[in-house]
Amino acid sequence: MTGDLSAVLGVVVLVSALGAAVWALVRLRARRGIATATQRATYEVLHTAGLAAEPLRAGLTATGAAKAVRHLRALVGAAGLALTDRQELLALDGRGTHHAAQLLAAARRTMAADHSTVLGESELHCDRVDCPVRGAVLAPLRAAGRVVGALVAVADGPPAPGLVQATLETAYWAGNQLALAELDASRQRLARAEVRALRAQISPHFIYNALTAIGSFVRTDPERARELILEFAEFTRYSFRAHGEFTTLAEELRSIDRYLTIERARFGDRLQVRLQIAPEVLPVTLPFLCLQPLVENAVQHGLSRKPGTGMVSIEARDAGAECHITVEDDGVGMDPTTLTRGIADLTRGGSDPGEDPGQHVGLSNVDERLRSAFGDRFGLVVETGVGSGTKISLRVPKFHPDVRADS
């Protein structure tokens, strides 16, 4: 009897243990299911935000608003959603189209007061019996400290606190995207200004000498003068083109070849050139007028002051995910301390009147544009010394987001 009782108790314990294990497994699966659902919801929100961010990063325009408004409505969870700038309603998705004039007037008041507004059914009066609109939440869009527009969420019932909070948070996020768009536009304007500065530098240092060299062949060798004029025309066409922040290494080297052709006509056998270019890096994208100032620096500040023959070497080699480029001359070189101080003076907005600022302008300009395009790891590395020539090295990633060559 005792043995039978022990057997029964053993079975009961085993069943209880199995039951506890099964229940624990059920709860674990439930928790995993909750985690999976949470992860899925998080992914959907981030994905929707990404879809809305792309058109907003182009600025607050009718085209961008039309692309972004549907995704913003999904983020807010509103029956309808509209985007306005300071003057007009740019886009509206979902319900509320027949209330567009009222929503725009309310948005203007919201922007003028620079605070959010909640409208009830009485403030959105309508003659339509079947009108589903029962309220709206309006929030100003702020970018770089100023109000640039408004986000309007349309409700099919009295605006709930959740809708109000979602509208405010989405408006804050959208304003940050618009601020980034303004930063991108400022960066592009700065890049264009820097290219214009390089072009202004090219004009006095090169054009006069080029025309003088061409003029010396007009009577003695008219065919040579004609060829040089064509090379000069192609060089200036590339250097002064009206568009494009980036170009390919092949295009930059082609322009450099024209530049050196003209300079060889001026210096004769005194100027020697050595090129070592890996074919696989020719399509690499880099900032426009990035290498030409370095080569001009080698000729004007290195070799022109050196008696006898001088050599300019240009090398571009494949380095895995990067292209490594060097421009080297065996000219007079300079004191590294003087170079560093000159670039620092330009950064602060001044320079030593006893020095030639052209060398510092070209190097500083190229260094800043490389860092702006690819990051601080991709600036210039300058090795120089008095009487030791100058070697300038740079690295360019073979691929970088948002960087492409312009035709």
Side-chain angles (χ1 to χ4, degrees):
M1 183 67 180
T2 304
D4 293 340
L5 180 59
S6 299
V8 171
L9 289 176
V11 171
V12 171
V13 171
L14 177 62
V15 171
S16 299
L18 288 175
V22 170
W23 177 241
L25 181 61
V26 170
R27 285 187 296 175
L28 176 61
R29 288 181 176 177
R31 284 197 297 270
R32 287 179 177 175
I34 293 173
T36 302
T38 302
Q39 292 169 353
R40 187 181 300 112
T42 302
Y43 166 78
E44 290 175 356
V45 170
L46 292 175
H47 178 66
T48 303
L51 294 176
E54 184 175 352
L56 289 176
R57 288 291 296 272
L60 190 57
T61 64
T63 302
K67 294 178 181 179
V69 68
R70 177 169 59 90
H71 305 299
L72 292 175
R73 183 164 79 92
L75 287 176
V76 175
L81 191 131
L83 277 175
T84 80
D85 60 12
R86 299 287 299 185
Q87 284 78 37
E88 59 182 333
L89 193 149
L90 300 175
L92 191 153
D93 182 71
R95 297 176 180 175
T97 304
H98 59 289
H99 284 281
Q102 291 176 311
L103 295 176
L104 177 59
R108 287 173 176 168
R109 293 192 297 269
T110 296
M111 288 184 284
D114 191 14
H115 64 72
S116 59
T117 306
V118 178
L119 302 180
E121 184 176 358
S122 60
E123 297 165 289
L124 291 174
H125 53 83
C126 180
D127 296 332
R128 289 177 49 176
V129 178
D130 60 342
C131 176
V133 176
R134 294 293 181 268
V137 182
L138 301 94
L141 293 174
R142 301 182 185 89
R146 59 190 181 88
V147 177
V148 296
L151 181 75
V152 183
V154 177
D156 53 6
L163 178 64
V164 174
Q165 189 62 34
T167 303
L168 296 180
E169 294 296 336
T170 303
Y172 176 77
W173 174 85
N176 286 337
Q177 301 307 308
L178 295 174
L180 291 175
E182 291 193 5
L183 287 176
D184 288 341
S186 298
R187 181 183 62 83
Q188 293 172 5
R189 288 193 295 269
L190 177 60
R192 289 193 293 269
E194 290 173 338
V195 171
R196 285 195 296 271
L198 281 180
R199 289 167 174 164
Q201 182 192 359
I202 291 170
S203 301
H205 284 291
F206 174 70
I207 294 178
Y208 174 79
N209 291 329
L211 293 176
T212 301
I214 293 171
S216 67
F217 290 100
V218 169
R219 290 188 178 181
T220 59
D221 193 346
E223 185 61 27
R224 179 78 184 281
R226 178 180 177 277
E227 293 174 357
L228 290 174
I229 288 174
L230 293 177
E231 294 288 354
F232 179 73
E234 287 299 313
F235 173 81
T236 54
R237 181 190 64 81
Y238 175 79
S239 299
F240 292 95
R241 70 182 190 179
H243 65 281
E245 185 180 344
F246 297 94
T247 188
T248 63
L249 177 60
E251 286 292 325
E252 193 81 354
L253 289 173
R254 190 174 293 114
S255 177
I256 288 172
D257 180 63
R258 297 187 179 106
Y259 168 80
L260 290 173
T261 297
I262 298 170
E263 290 290 54
R264 279 195 295 265
R266 175 186 168 202
F267 287 98
D269 293 337
R270 287 182 55 206
L271 175 58
Q272 303 294 317
V273 178
R274 183 178 68 87
L275 293 176
Q276 189 174 352
I277 309 298
E280 57 267 27
V281 300
L282 289 174
V284 168
T285 300
L286 68 168
F288 173 63
L289 283 184
C290 179
L291 294 184
Q292 192 276 335
L294 307 184
V295 176
E296 182 180 0
N297 176 78
V299 174
Q300 297 294 335
H301 301 283
L303 302 182
S304 65
R305 302 172 184 176
K306 175 185 177 181
T309 302
M311 172 73 74
V312 174
S313 301
I314 304 172
E315 179 182 354
R317 59 186 180 87
D318 187 12
E322 298 176 351
C323 170
H324 290 185
I325 304 171
T326 59
V327 177
E328 185 174 5
D329 68 79
D330 58 358
V332 298
M334 70 178 303
D335 182 3
T337 304
T338 303
L339 176 63
T340 303
R341 186 175 64 249
I343 293 177
D345 288 341
L346 284 172
T347 303
R348 291 192 298 267
S351 62
D352 186 343
E355 296 180 3
D356 180 3
Q359 183 176 24
H360 306 150
V361 170
L363 297 183
S364 177
N365 192 308
V366 172
D367 181 71
E368 289 177 0
R369 291 196 295 133
L370 283 170
R371 294 175 187 274
S372 175
F374 303 123
D376 287 336
R377 299 186 298 113
F378 294 93
L380 294 181
V381 177
V382 182
E383 303 172 58
T384 187
V386 177
S388 303
T390 301
K391 179 180 179 181
I392 303 176
S393 306
L394 62 140
R395 299 154 46 221
V396 178
K398 290 182 178 178
F399 172 79
H400 194 275
D402 302 324
V403 173
R404 63 178 181 83
D406 299 273
S407 58

